[in-house]
Amino acid sequence: MRKVSFPAAAAMLALGLSLQGCVGAAIGGAATVGSAAMQDRGLRGAVTDNAIAIEINHYWFQKSEKLFAAVQTQIYEGRVLVSGAVTDPDMRAEAIRLAWQAKGVREIINEIEITDEGGLKAYAKDTWSAGELRSRLLFARGVNSSNYSVEVVNGTVYLLGVFTDAAEHDRVLAIARSQSNIRRVVSHVIARDDPRRFRSPPGEETGTRS
């Protein structure tokens, strides 16, 4: 979930926009509900993931605006992929620590880069690349694009979600790798029958949270 300012991000989240990013925002509220219903996680799962995103972003913003602006989330069925670019290893560790505090988190995938690269020019290029890839997946044959979350950071594509079969996943990877301005593709998409989709969040197996 890309962020420019806290008020804008909070407004989008409050409206219940899909975590799929620009495509979901452009289509509008009614279509977002329809898209969520088509996803393997369903409407309830999409709402739960949005709630997790709101909570994580709240913790980040409370900590510092710099942290909030530097990192973003992709969330699918409680699996949280955190990406972004920071210059301080302690900031990276703090982002992950705070993300674990959100209710309903099953797993956190840490893809935060420690680098001096970035800036407005890179951000603009990454935003354009992510939007283009989402559009290509939307119209790709044999791909349920609603099951895929896409982010691009410094030319790296991060994918999260659920694939129907290996052929679909391979098709998505091929589309991402063929796109200009993309230097590598990192996929954390899992199969429909992967046991990670069904396990309880840590501390909730017995009804308690640490």
Side-chain angles (χ1 to χ4, degrees):
M1 179 172 290
R2 284 278 183 169
K3 307 181 290 292
V4 176
S5 66
F6 181 74
M12 289 195 299
L13 288 167
L15 288 171
L17 293 176
S18 167
L19 292 177
Q20 299 304 314
C22 298
V23 173
I27 292 175
T32 299
V33 173
S35 175
M38 293 173 60
Q39 298 171 15
D40 276 39
R41 63 181 171 180
L43 179 58
R44 182 175 180 179
V47 170
T48 299
D49 287 340
N50 272 327
I52 294 172
I54 291 172
E55 189 173 356
I56 291 174
N57 279 281
H58 171 70
Y59 293 144
W60 285 345
F61 187 75
Q62 275 193 323
K63 183 64 179 180
S64 76
E65 292 185 33
K66 183 178 180 180
L67 173 61
F68 174 82
V71 294
Q72 55 268 338
T73 61
Q74 294 165 256
I75 307 175
Y76 199 99
E77 296 179 330
R79 299 180 66 230
V80 181
L81 195 165
V82 185
S83 59
V86 300
T87 57
D88 182 0
D90 291 338
M91 183 181 290
R92 180 189 187 196
E94 185 67 0
I96 299 304
R97 184 188 70 81
L98 291 171
W100 270 117
Q101 293 185 12
K103 182 179 180 181
V105 173
R106 300 172 188 261
E107 176 185 355
I108 289 186
I109 304 162
N110 184 358
E111 290 287 359
I112 302 174
E113 299 180 18
I114 301 175
T115 177
D116 291 324
E117 295 180 13
L120 290 177
K121 185 176 180 180
Y123 176 85
K125 183 182 291 185
D126 289 341
T127 300
W128 183 89
S129 296
E132 182 185 27
L133 180 53
R134 292 185 189 108
S135 296
R136 293 179 67 192
L137 294 180
L138 179 65
F139 295 105
R141 290 186 178 183
V143 173
N144 183 357
S145 63
S146 63
N147 275 337
Y148 292 83
S149 172
V150 175
E151 275 292 356
V152 181
V153 178
N154 289 333
T156 296
V157 173
Y158 295 103
L159 299 171
L160 186 70
V162 172
F163 61 78
T164 304
D165 53 42
E168 182 193 54
H169 187 219
D170 289 343
R171 193 172 296 114
V172 169
L173 293 178
I175 292 171
R177 288 166 179 159
S178 69
Q179 185 165 309
S180 60
N181 297 322
I182 298 302
R183 57 188 179 89
R184 69 185 182 115
V185 178
V186 178
S187 176
H188 293 284
V189 184
I190 59 177
R192 275 181 168 173
D193 59 354
D194 192 296
R196 284 173 288 181
R197 295 188 62 207
F198 312 107
R199 69 187 181 196
S200 299
E204 294 191 5
E205 293 86 350
T206 59
T208 61
R209 284 177 53 83
S210 57

